[in-house]
Amino acid sequence: MAENPTKPSRLVTIRHAFRPGDAGRLIELHGRLYSQEYGFDYTFEAYVAKPLAEFMLTQTLRERIWLVDSDAVLMGSVAIVKHSETEAQLRWFLLHPSLRGRGLGTRLMAEAVEFCRESGYQNVFLWTVSSLLAAAQVYHKAGFRLTEEHAQELWGSRLTEQRYDLDLRT
């Protein structure tokens, strides 16, 4: 089904199981949206693709992805990936612009953090860049704190990469 971002969404569903075509769609969605909104180049797709493929092939019970469908088209995601026995990484947090502003990002973040707690992680972290201001608001609302940042060349741009951490023991 072709994407039509101007059409109002009739049905939004969230699932955890991959279907054929999901990896390609997630990589494309990340590539297109980050290029349009932030000027990232094609190398960002490789940054998404490699760990996503590894996740799909090796996912454990302590890892999960939330796949957001709108009118049966994959339009967003977030995932929890095991980094160590005590630490998880939040990855691939993205919603198509037509789904933003509805509380879906906050809901996905809350579910991901709760999953981390239920899975026995002590800390969850994520990497982002400073230009993603709306996402940073969601991170702060969920209790994440900025713990590290540094400027570097990434994906064809000079960006300030940031790490956010959430201590789940408190």
Side-chain angles (χ1 to χ4, degrees):
M1 177 182 279
E3 171 188 333
N4 184 351
T6 60
K7 179 180 140 188
S9 177
R10 292 185 300 249
L11 179 64
V12 174
T13 57
I14 299 172
R15 58 188 165 86
H16 302 292
F18 284 103
R19 296 179 185 153
D22 283 348
R25 173 65 179 157
L26 278 180
I27 295 163
E28 176 190 22
L29 194 59
H30 277 79
R32 288 188 188 277
L33 291 180
Y34 281 95
S35 173
Q36 292 166 2
E37 296 176 357
Y38 302 102
F40 292 9
D41 70 12
Y42 69 94
T43 61
F44 184 67
E45 291 181 66
Y47 172 78
V48 172
K50 184 177 179 182
L52 179 62
E54 291 171 8
F55 175 81
M56 292 175 76
L57 294 171
T58 63
Q59 184 180 353
T60 70
L61 293 176
R62 293 184 73 208
E63 298 174 300
R64 179 173 288 170
I65 192 160
W66 287 255
L67 298 162
V68 181
D69 291 327
S70 178
D71 294 332
V73 177
L74 183 57
M75 301 286 272
S77 65
V78 69
I80 295 297
V81 178
K82 179 181 171 184
H83 184 73
S84 72
E85 287 303 315
T86 60
E87 191 169 51
Q89 183 176 5
L90 187 137
R91 300 202 73 160
W92 311 303
F93 181 50
L94 178 69
L95 285 173
H96 188 276
S98 67
L99 297 181
R100 296 176 189 161
R102 301 179 183 190
L104 279 171
T106 299
R107 175 184 169 189
L108 290 170
M109 190 61 56
E111 288 184 20
V113 168
E114 183 58 28
F115 176 80
C116 288
R117 284 192 170 95
E118 291 171 358
S119 298
Y121 291 112
Q122 295 176 12
N123 187 67
V124 58
F125 71 93
L126 63 93
W127 284 99
T128 187
V129 294
S130 62
S131 53
L132 279 67
L133 299 176
Q137 290 178 345
V138 175
Y139 305 144
H140 285 291
K141 187 175 179 180
F144 283 85
R145 298 292 170 249
L146 178 63
T147 57
E148 183 180 335
E149 66 181 348
H150 56 277
Q152 65 178 336
E153 291 292 326
L154 282 174
W155 314 305
S157 300
R158 181 84 178 154
L159 300 169
T160 300
E161 192 172 27
Q162 299 177 316
R163 178 179 163 134
Y164 282 82
D165 281 87
L166 175 59
D167 186 342
L168 299 169
R169 296 170 291 183
T170 58

